[in-house]
mmCIF file of all heavy atoms in Angstrom:
data_model
loop_
_atom_site.group_PDB
_atom_site.id
_atom_site.type_symbol
_atom_site.label_atom_id
_atom_site.label_comp_id
_atom_site.label_asym_id
_atom_site.label_seq_id
_atom_site.Cartn_x
_atom_site.Cartn_y
_atom_site.Cartn_z
ATOM 1 N N ILE A 7 110.657 2.237 227.819
ATOM 2 C CA ILE A 7 109.575 1.254 227.932
ATOM 3 C C ILE A 7 108.266 1.806 227.380
ATOM 4 O O ILE A 7 107.509 1.108 226.700
ATOM 5 C CB ILE A 7 109.396 0.809 229.398
ATOM 6 C CG1 ILE A 7 110.606 -0.026 229.836
ATOM 7 C CG2 ILE A 7 108.108 0.005 229.582
ATOM 8 C CD1 ILE A 7 110.600 -0.373 231.314
ATOM 9 N N ALA A 8 107.982 3.065 227.663
ATOM 10 C CA ALA A 8 106.761 3.707 227.177
ATOM 11 C C ALA A 8 106.942 5.213 227.259
ATOM 12 O O ALA A 8 107.779 5.711 228.005
ATOM 13 C CB ALA A 8 105.555 3.276 228.007
ATOM 14 N N GLU A 9 106.151 5.934 226.473
ATOM 15 C CA GLU A 9 106.173 7.392 226.553
ATOM 16 C C GLU A 9 105.500 7.835 227.848
ATOM 17 O O GLU A 9 104.732 7.101 228.468
ATOM 18 C CB GLU A 9 105.459 8.001 225.345
ATOM 19 C CG GLU A 9 106.191 7.798 224.029
ATOM 20 C CD GLU A 9 105.545 8.564 222.897
ATOM 21 O OE1 GLU A 9 104.812 9.540 223.193
ATOM 22 O OE2 GLU A 9 105.757 8.199 221.734
ATOM 23 N N ASN A 10 105.768 9.062 228.234
ATOM 24 C CA ASN A 10 105.154 9.654 229.425
ATOM 25 C C ASN A 10 105.503 8.822 230.665
ATOM 26 O O ASN A 10 106.638 8.429 230.821
ATOM 27 C CB ASN A 10 103.655 9.819 229.211
ATOM 28 C CG ASN A 10 103.349 10.655 227.971
ATOM 29 O OD1 ASN A 10 103.994 11.676 227.736
ATOM 30 N ND2 ASN A 10 102.381 10.227 227.182
ATOM 31 N N ASN A 11 104.528 8.563 231.555
ATOM 32 C CA ASN A 11 104.792 7.784 232.774
ATOM 33 C C ASN A 11 105.967 8.350 233.582
ATOM 34 O O ASN A 11 106.761 7.591 234.153
ATOM 35 C CB ASN A 11 105.057 6.314 232.430
ATOM 36 C CG ASN A 11 103.866 5.630 231.779
ATOM 37 O OD1 ASN A 11 102.942 5.210 232.463
ATOM 38 N ND2 ASN A 11 103.897 5.543 230.463
ATOM 39 N N ALA A 12 106.081 9.671 233.642
ATOM 40 C CA ALA A 12 107.251 10.289 234.261
ATOM 41 C C ALA A 12 107.367 9.960 235.740
ATOM 42 O O ALA A 12 108.470 9.708 236.247
ATOM 43 C CB ALA A 12 107.211 11.806 234.059
ATOM 44 N N ALA A 13 106.249 9.955 236.475
ATOM 45 C CA ALA A 13 106.322 9.665 237.902
ATOM 46 C C ALA A 13 106.735 8.224 238.143
ATOM 47 O O ALA A 13 107.511 7.941 239.075
ATOM 48 C CB ALA A 13 104.974 9.958 238.576
ATOM 49 N N ALA A 14 106.232 7.296 237.327
ATOM 50 C CA ALA A 14 106.635 5.895 237.454
ATOM 51 C C ALA A 14 108.135 5.749 237.208
ATOM 52 O O ALA A 14 108.837 5.032 237.938
ATOM 53 C CB ALA A 14 105.848 5.032 236.470
ATOM 54 N N LYS A 15 108.638 6.416 236.188
ATOM 55 C CA LYS A 15 110.066 6.368 235.891
ATOM 56 C C LYS A 15 110.879 7.006 237.022
ATOM 57 O O LYS A 15 111.965 6.519 237.379
ATOM 58 C CB LYS A 15 110.342 7.068 234.561
ATOM 59 C CG LYS A 15 109.710 6.372 233.359
ATOM 60 C CD LYS A 15 109.832 7.196 232.088
ATOM 61 C CE LYS A 15 109.153 6.504 230.913
ATOM 62 N NZ LYS A 15 109.219 7.302 229.664
ATOM 63 N N ALA A 16 110.348 8.099 237.582
ATOM 64 C CA ALA A 16 111.054 8.769 238.682
ATOM 65 C C ALA A 16 111.189 7.858 239.891
ATOM 66 O O ALA A 16 112.204 7.897 240.599
ATOM 67 C CB ALA A 16 110.320 10.051 239.070
ATOM 68 N N SER A 17 110.182 7.025 240.132
ATOM 69 C CA SER A 17 110.252 6.144 241.302
ATOM 70 C C SER A 17 111.430 5.179 241.196
ATOM 71 O O SER A 17 112.099 4.895 242.202
ATOM 72 C CB SER A 17 108.940 5.372 241.463
ATOM 73 O OG SER A 17 108.759 4.401 240.443
ATOM 74 N N ILE A 18 111.700 4.679 239.985
ATOM 75 C CA ILE A 18 112.844 3.774 239.788
ATOM 76 C C ILE A 18 114.153 4.554 239.861
ATOM 77 O O ILE A 18 115.132 4.111 240.469
ATOM 78 C CB ILE A 18 112.717 3.032 238.451
ATOM 79 C CG1 ILE A 18 111.444 2.179 238.449
ATOM 80 C CG2 ILE A 18 113.945 2.163 238.185
ATOM 81 C CD1 ILE A 18 111.161 1.506 237.121
ATOM 82 N N ASP A 19 114.177 5.723 239.239
ATOM 83 C CA ASP A 19 115.377 6.573 239.272
ATOM 84 C C ASP A 19 115.781 6.888 240.716
ATOM 85 O O ASP A 19 116.959 6.781 241.090
ATOM 86 C CB ASP A 19 115.097 7.859 238.496
ATOM 87 C CG ASP A 19 116.175 8.906 238.652
ATOM 88 O OD1 ASP A 19 116.220 9.567 239.718
ATOM 89 O OD2 ASP A 19 116.968 9.095 237.731
ATOM 90 N N ILE A 20 114.821 7.282 241.546
ATOM 91 C CA ILE A 20 115.130 7.635 242.931
ATOM 92 C C ILE A 20 115.640 6.414 243.688
ATOM 93 O O ILE A 20 116.632 6.488 244.431
ATOM 94 C CB ILE A 20 113.888 8.236 243.616
ATOM 95 C CG1 ILE A 20 113.524 9.580 242.974
ATOM 96 C CG2 ILE A 20 114.129 8.413 245.115
ATOM 97 C CD1 ILE A 20 112.166 10.112 243.392
ATOM 98 N N ALA A 21 114.958 5.276 243.505
ATOM 99 C CA ALA A 21 115.377 4.055 244.198
ATOM 100 C C ALA A 21 116.777 3.631 243.766
ATOM 101 O O ALA A 21 117.584 3.176 244.589
ATOM 102 C CB ALA A 21 114.374 2.938 243.932
ATOM 103 N N LEU A 22 117.087 3.784 242.474
ATOM 104 C CA LEU A 22 118.410 3.409 241.979
ATOM 105 C C LEU A 22 119.479 4.336 242.548
ATOM 106 O O LEU A 22 120.566 3.880 242.950
ATOM 107 C CB LEU A 22 118.428 3.433 240.452
ATOM 108 C CG LEU A 22 119.744 3.018 239.789
ATOM 109 C CD1 LEU A 22 120.110 1.579 240.151
ATOM 110 C CD2 LEU A 22 119.653 3.171 238.259
ATOM 111 N N HIS A 23 119.208 5.625 242.576
ATOM 112 C CA HIS A 23 120.170 6.552 243.183
ATOM 113 C C HIS A 23 120.375 6.228 244.663
ATOM 114 O O HIS A 23 121.510 6.275 245.161
ATOM 115 C CB HIS A 23 119.688 7.996 243.024
ATOM 116 C CG HIS A 23 120.014 8.608 241.701
ATOM 117 N ND1 HIS A 23 119.267 8.374 240.565
ATOM 118 C CD2 HIS A 23 121.027 9.431 241.310
ATOM 119 C CE1 HIS A 23 119.795 9.042 239.550
ATOM 120 N NE2 HIS A 23 120.871 9.685 239.977
ATOM 121 N N ASP A 24 119.288 5.920 245.356
ATOM 122 C CA ASP A 24 119.417 5.579 246.771
ATOM 123 C C ASP A 24 120.289 4.339 246.943
ATOM 124 O O ASP A 24 121.190 4.306 247.793
ATOM 125 C CB ASP A 24 118.029 5.341 247.362
ATOM 126 C CG ASP A 24 118.046 5.260 248.879
ATOM 127 O OD1 ASP A 24 118.907 5.908 249.508
ATOM 128 O OD2 ASP A 24 117.193 4.545 249.443
ATOM 129 N N LEU A 25 120.030 3.331 246.113
ATOM 130 C CA LEU A 25 120.787 2.083 246.184
ATOM 131 C C LEU A 25 122.271 2.312 245.898
ATOM 132 O O LEU A 25 123.148 1.871 246.655
ATOM 133 C CB LEU A 25 120.206 1.075 245.202
ATOM 134 C CG LEU A 25 120.945 -0.262 245.060
ATOM 135 C CD1 LEU A 25 120.939 -1.034 246.369
ATOM 136 C CD2 LEU A 25 120.319 -1.086 243.934
ATOM 137 N N VAL A 26 122.582 3.010 244.826
ATOM 138 C CA VAL A 26 123.976 3.227 244.443
ATOM 139 C C VAL A 26 124.692 4.088 245.482
ATOM 140 O O VAL A 26 125.851 3.836 245.826
ATOM 141 C CB VAL A 26 124.061 3.852 243.033
ATOM 142 C CG1 VAL A 26 125.472 4.336 242.723
ATOM 143 C CG2 VAL A 26 123.609 2.837 241.982
ATOM 144 N N GLY A 27 124.021 5.100 246.001
ATOM 145 C CA GLY A 27 124.635 5.905 247.051
ATOM 146 C C GLY A 27 124.983 5.072 248.272
ATOM 147 O O GLY A 27 126.028 5.266 248.902
ATOM 148 N N LYS A 28 124.101 4.130 248.603
ATOM 149 C CA LYS A 28 124.377 3.248 249.732
ATOM 150 C C LYS A 28 125.544 2.314 249.438
ATOM 151 O O LYS A 28 126.362 2.016 250.321
ATOM 152 C CB LYS A 28 123.126 2.455 250.078
ATOM 153 C CG LYS A 28 122.040 3.306 250.732
ATOM 154 C CD LYS A 28 120.735 2.544 250.894
ATOM 155 C CE LYS A 28 119.702 3.390 251.605
ATOM 156 N NZ LYS A 28 118.377 2.727 251.668
ATOM 157 N N LEU A 29 125.648 1.837 248.193
ATOM 158 C CA LEU A 29 126.775 0.978 247.829
ATOM 159 C C LEU A 29 128.097 1.747 247.890
ATOM 160 O O LEU A 29 129.137 1.196 248.264
ATOM 161 C CB LEU A 29 126.558 0.400 246.433
ATOM 162 C CG LEU A 29 125.425 -0.631 246.296
ATOM 163 C CD1 LEU A 29 125.171 -0.957 244.830
ATOM 164 C CD2 LEU A 29 125.753 -1.903 247.076
ATOM 165 N N ILE A 30 128.068 3.021 247.515
ATOM 166 C CA ILE A 30 129.267 3.862 247.603
ATOM 167 C C ILE A 30 129.543 4.257 249.051
ATOM 168 O O ILE A 30 130.692 4.433 249.461
ATOM 169 C CB ILE A 30 129.099 5.134 246.739
ATOM 170 C CG1 ILE A 30 128.978 4.765 245.261
ATOM 171 C CG2 ILE A 30 130.265 6.102 246.933
ATOM 172 C CD1 ILE A 30 128.637 5.943 244.377
ATOM 173 N N GLY A 31 128.451 4.412 249.824
ATOM 174 C CA GLY A 31 128.595 4.832 251.207
ATOM 175 C C GLY A 31 128.590 6.328 251.401
ATOM 176 O O GLY A 31 129.102 6.825 252.405
ATOM 177 N N GLN A 32 127.977 7.065 250.425
ATOM 178 C CA GLN A 32 127.963 8.522 250.500
ATOM 179 C C GLN A 32 126.584 9.061 250.115
ATOM 180 O O GLN A 32 125.884 8.472 249.286
ATOM 181 C CB GLN A 32 129.010 9.128 249.549
ATOM 182 C CG GLN A 32 130.443 8.831 249.910
ATOM 183 C CD GLN A 32 130.889 9.523 251.181
ATOM 184 O OE1 GLN A 32 130.347 10.549 251.570
ATOM 185 N NE2 GLN A 32 131.890 8.950 251.843
ATOM 186 N N PRO A 33 126.181 10.217 250.661
ATOM 187 C CA PRO A 33 124.959 10.881 250.208
ATOM 188 C C PRO A 33 125.176 11.511 248.838
ATOM 189 O O PRO A 33 126.309 11.865 248.474
ATOM 190 C CB PRO A 33 124.710 11.940 251.279
ATOM 191 C CG PRO A 33 126.066 12.232 251.840
ATOM 192 C CD PRO A 33 126.837 10.942 251.769
ATOM 193 N N TRP A 34 124.082 11.701 248.097
ATOM 194 C CA TRP A 34 124.232 12.170 246.719
ATOM 195 C C TRP A 34 124.739 13.609 246.608
ATOM 196 O O TRP A 34 125.447 13.942 245.651
ATOM 197 C CB TRP A 34 122.929 11.977 245.936
ATOM 198 C CG TRP A 34 122.958 10.622 245.303
ATOM 199 C CD1 TRP A 34 122.436 9.477 245.786
ATOM 200 C CD2 TRP A 34 123.645 10.273 244.090
ATOM 201 N NE1 TRP A 34 122.733 8.417 244.958
ATOM 202 C CE2 TRP A 34 123.473 8.880 243.908
ATOM 203 C CE3 TRP A 34 124.380 10.979 243.154
ATOM 204 C CZ2 TRP A 34 124.012 8.201 242.815
ATOM 205 C CZ3 TRP A 34 124.908 10.307 242.065
ATOM 206 C CH2 TRP A 34 124.720 8.943 241.911
ATOM 207 N N TYR A 35 124.408 14.461 247.556
ATOM 208 C CA TYR A 35 124.936 15.824 247.442
ATOM 209 C C TYR A 35 126.455 15.805 247.463
ATOM 210 O O TYR A 35 127.123 16.594 246.779
ATOM 211 C CB TYR A 35 124.362 16.731 248.544
ATOM 212 C CG TYR A 35 124.978 16.571 249.905
ATOM 213 C CD1 TYR A 35 126.160 17.243 250.239
ATOM 214 C CD2 TYR A 35 124.399 15.754 250.868
ATOM 215 C CE1 TYR A 35 126.732 17.095 251.489
ATOM 216 C CE2 TYR A 35 124.959 15.599 252.123
ATOM 217 C CZ TYR A 35 126.124 16.263 252.430
ATOM 218 O OH TYR A 35 126.694 16.118 253.671
ATOM 219 N N ARG A 36 127.038 14.881 248.227
ATOM 220 C CA ARG A 36 128.495 14.795 248.298
ATOM 221 C C ARG A 36 129.066 14.130 247.041
ATOM 222 O O ARG A 36 130.112 14.542 246.531
ATOM 223 C CB ARG A 36 128.899 14.020 249.553
ATOM 224 C CG ARG A 36 130.398 14.083 249.849
ATOM 225 C CD ARG A 36 130.692 13.505 251.216
ATOM 226 N NE ARG A 36 130.141 14.340 252.271
ATOM 227 C CZ ARG A 36 129.633 13.883 253.417
ATOM 228 N NH1 ARG A 36 129.581 12.580 253.637
ATOM 229 N NH2 ARG A 36 129.192 14.710 254.332
ATOM 230 N N ILE A 37 128.388 13.127 246.530
ATOM 231 C CA ILE A 37 128.826 12.485 245.280
ATOM 232 C C ILE A 37 128.863 13.509 244.151
ATOM 233 O O ILE A 37 129.789 13.517 243.328
ATOM 234 C CB ILE A 37 127.891 11.313 244.920
ATOM 235 C CG1 ILE A 37 127.995 10.202 245.978
ATOM 236 C CG2 ILE A 37 128.219 10.751 243.538
ATOM 237 C CD1 ILE A 37 126.929 9.126 245.840
ATOM 238 N N TRP A 38 127.870 14.399 244.136
ATOM 239 C CA TRP A 38 127.806 15.417 243.085
ATOM 240 C C TRP A 38 128.716 16.611 243.366
ATOM 241 O O TRP A 38 128.851 17.497 242.518
ATOM 242 C CB TRP A 38 126.371 15.911 242.935
ATOM 243 C CG TRP A 38 125.498 14.989 242.128
ATOM 244 C CD1 TRP A 38 125.878 14.183 241.108
ATOM 245 C CD2 TRP A 38 124.090 14.813 242.283
ATOM 246 N NE1 TRP A 38 124.796 13.507 240.593
ATOM 247 C CE2 TRP A 38 123.688 13.874 241.306
ATOM 248 C CE3 TRP A 38 123.127 15.348 243.133
ATOM 249 C CZ2 TRP A 38 122.358 13.464 241.165
ATOM 250 C CZ3 TRP A 38 121.821 14.938 243.005
ATOM 251 C CH2 TRP A 38 121.441 14.009 242.033
ATOM 252 N N GLY A 39 129.320 16.679 244.528
ATOM 253 C CA GLY A 39 130.224 17.777 244.835
ATOM 254 C C GLY A 39 129.538 19.026 245.346
ATOM 255 O O GLY A 39 130.118 20.112 245.304
ATOM 256 N N TYR A 40 128.309 18.910 245.862
ATOM 257 C CA TYR A 40 127.598 20.057 246.414
ATOM 258 C C TYR A 40 127.914 20.225 247.897
ATOM 259 O O TYR A 40 128.313 19.276 248.572
ATOM 260 C CB TYR A 40 126.084 19.894 246.261
ATOM 261 C CG TYR A 40 125.587 19.868 244.839
ATOM 262 C CD1 TYR A 40 124.482 19.097 244.493
ATOM 263 C CD2 TYR A 40 126.190 20.617 243.838
ATOM 264 C CE1 TYR A 40 123.997 19.070 243.189
ATOM 265 C CE2 TYR A 40 125.721 20.599 242.542
ATOM 266 C CZ TYR A 40 124.620 19.819 242.220
ATOM 267 O OH TYR A 40 124.144 19.795 240.929
ATOM 268 N N SER A 41 127.695 21.429 248.406
ATOM 269 C CA SER A 41 127.889 21.719 249.816
ATOM 270 C C SER A 41 126.534 21.731 250.521
ATOM 271 O O SER A 41 125.607 22.435 250.103
ATOM 272 C CB SER A 41 128.564 23.071 250.010
ATOM 273 O OG SER A 41 128.525 23.467 251.368
ATOM 274 N N ALA A 42 126.439 20.997 251.619
ATOM 275 C CA ALA A 42 125.201 20.983 252.395
ATOM 276 C C ALA A 42 124.914 22.340 253.015
ATOM 277 O O ALA A 42 123.767 22.628 253.372
ATOM 278 C CB ALA A 42 125.281 19.909 253.479
ATOM 279 N N GLU A 43 125.923 23.176 253.128
ATOM 280 C CA GLU A 43 125.732 24.506 253.707
ATOM 281 C C GLU A 43 125.017 25.460 252.746
ATOM 282 O O GLU A 43 124.537 26.510 253.168
ATOM 283 C CB GLU A 43 127.079 25.102 254.112
ATOM 284 C CG GLU A 43 127.846 24.274 255.133
ATOM 285 C CD GLU A 43 127.048 24.071 256.403
ATOM 286 O OE1 GLU A 43 126.471 25.054 256.898
ATOM 287 O OE2 GLU A 43 126.999 22.930 256.899
ATOM 288 N N LYS A 44 124.965 25.103 251.480
ATOM 289 C CA LYS A 44 124.406 26.022 250.483
ATOM 290 C C LYS A 44 122.954 25.735 250.133
ATOM 291 O O LYS A 44 122.434 26.243 249.149
ATOM 292 C CB LYS A 44 125.277 25.986 249.219
ATOM 293 C CG LYS A 44 126.668 26.558 249.439
ATOM 294 C CD LYS A 44 127.462 26.636 248.154
ATOM 295 C CE LYS A 44 128.827 27.269 248.388
ATOM 296 N NZ LYS A 44 129.632 27.360 247.139
ATOM 297 N N THR A 45 122.288 24.915 250.935
ATOM 298 C CA THR A 45 120.869 24.687 250.678
ATOM 299 C C THR A 45 120.076 25.957 250.954
ATOM 300 O O THR A 45 120.352 26.683 251.912
ATOM 301 C CB THR A 45 120.312 23.565 251.564
ATOM 302 O OG1 THR A 45 120.529 23.906 252.933
ATOM 303 C CG2 THR A 45 120.970 22.227 251.255
ATOM 304 N N PRO A 46 119.078 26.251 250.127
ATOM 305 C CA PRO A 46 118.214 27.407 250.407
ATOM 306 C C PRO A 46 117.150 27.046 251.439
ATOM 307 O O PRO A 46 117.002 25.880 251.818
ATOM 308 C CB PRO A 46 117.577 27.690 249.041
ATOM 309 C CG PRO A 46 117.525 26.341 248.380
ATOM 310 C CD PRO A 46 118.752 25.588 248.866
ATOM 311 N N ALA A 47 116.415 28.043 251.874
ATOM 312 C CA ALA A 47 115.218 27.788 252.682
ATOM 313 C C ALA A 47 114.094 27.357 251.746
ATOM 314 O O ALA A 47 113.985 27.843 250.619
ATOM 315 C CB ALA A 47 114.809 29.038 253.447
ATOM 316 N N THR A 48 113.283 26.430 252.194
ATOM 317 C CA THR A 48 112.159 26.014 251.374
ATOM 318 C C THR A 48 110.972 26.960 251.538
ATOM 319 O O THR A 48 110.811 27.596 252.592
ATOM 320 C CB THR A 48 111.711 24.584 251.724
ATOM 321 O OG1 THR A 48 110.624 24.209 250.864
ATOM 322 C CG2 THR A 48 111.247 24.469 253.165
ATOM 323 N N PHE A 49 110.162 27.081 250.497
ATOM 324 C CA PHE A 49 108.890 27.777 250.612
ATOM 325 C C PHE A 49 107.946 26.925 251.463
ATOM 326 O O PHE A 49 108.144 25.719 251.625
ATOM 327 C CB PHE A 49 108.225 27.964 249.243
ATOM 328 C CG PHE A 49 109.022 28.774 248.254
ATOM 329 C CD1 PHE A 49 108.641 28.795 246.917
ATOM 330 C CD2 PHE A 49 110.130 29.517 248.625
ATOM 331 C CE1 PHE A 49 109.346 29.524 245.986
ATOM 332 C CE2 PHE A 49 110.848 30.254 247.702
ATOM 333 C CZ PHE A 49 110.446 30.252 246.377
ATOM 334 N N TYR A 50 106.891 27.548 251.964
ATOM 335 C CA TYR A 50 105.805 26.811 252.613
ATOM 336 C C TYR A 50 104.514 27.216 251.912
ATOM 337 O O TYR A 50 104.191 28.400 251.815
ATOM 338 C CB TYR A 50 105.722 27.122 254.104
ATOM 339 C CG TYR A 50 104.690 26.269 254.809
ATOM 340 C CD1 TYR A 50 105.008 24.982 255.229
ATOM 341 C CD2 TYR A 50 103.393 26.732 255.028
ATOM 342 C CE1 TYR A 50 104.071 24.178 255.859
ATOM 343 C CE2 TYR A 50 102.446 25.933 255.656
ATOM 344 C CZ TYR A 50 102.792 24.661 256.064
ATOM 345 O OH TYR A 50 101.844 23.863 256.682
ATOM 346 N N THR A 51 103.774 26.231 251.405
ATOM 347 C CA THR A 51 102.665 26.488 250.483
ATOM 348 C C THR A 51 101.333 26.650 251.199
ATOM 349 O O THR A 51 100.986 25.873 252.094
ATOM 350 C CB THR A 51 102.548 25.345 249.466
ATOM 351 O OG1 THR A 51 103.796 25.209 248.778
ATOM 352 C CG2 THR A 51 101.451 25.628 248.447
ATOM 353 N N ILE A 52 100.576 27.639 250.735
ATOM 354 C CA ILE A 52 99.199 27.862 251.186
ATOM 355 C C ILE A 52 98.295 27.791 249.956
ATOM 356 O O ILE A 52 98.424 28.590 249.024
ATOM 357 C CB ILE A 52 99.062 29.225 251.883
ATOM 358 C CG1 ILE A 52 99.926 29.247 253.145
ATOM 359 C CG2 ILE A 52 97.600 29.523 252.219
ATOM 360 C CD1 ILE A 52 99.952 30.574 253.854
ATOM 361 N N GLY A 53 97.410 26.795 249.933
ATOM 362 C CA GLY A 53 96.538 26.593 248.790
ATOM 363 C C GLY A 53 95.381 27.582 248.760
ATOM 364 O O GLY A 53 95.118 28.316 249.721
ATOM 365 N N ILE A 54 94.669 27.594 247.626
ATOM 366 C CA ILE A 54 93.511 28.468 247.459
ATOM 367 C C ILE A 54 92.435 28.105 248.474
ATOM 368 O O ILE A 54 92.098 26.933 248.659
ATOM 369 C CB ILE A 54 92.964 28.365 246.022
ATOM 370 C CG1 ILE A 54 93.930 29.057 245.048
ATOM 371 C CG2 ILE A 54 91.572 28.978 245.922
ATOM 372 C CD1 ILE A 54 93.519 28.940 243.598
#
């Protein structure tokens, strides 16, 4: 539709993945074949 606008495009991509996952009845990590046990710990950010 247009160049750039990555965040706008991401909003539709995320909503579409959410919708399709719900239609399938599965979370996306399972659709992709990932293990929920293999998630890392997240960082916690401290700004300047």
Side-chain angles (χ1 to χ4, degrees):
I7 291 173
E9 292 187 21
N10 304 317
N11 297 279
K15 295 172 182 178
S17 70
I18 299 175
D19 171 283
I20 294 169
L22 182 61
H23 277 81
D24 192 30
L25 175 63
V26 169
K28 288 172 177 175
L29 291 171
I30 296 173
Q32 294 291 335
W34 270 95
Y35 78 84
R36 190 170 292 145
I37 295 169
W38 280 329
Y40 295 147
S41 169
E43 301 302 314
K44 293 185 177 180
T45 58
T48 182
F49 299 168
Y50 185 83
T51 303
I52 297 176
I54 288 177

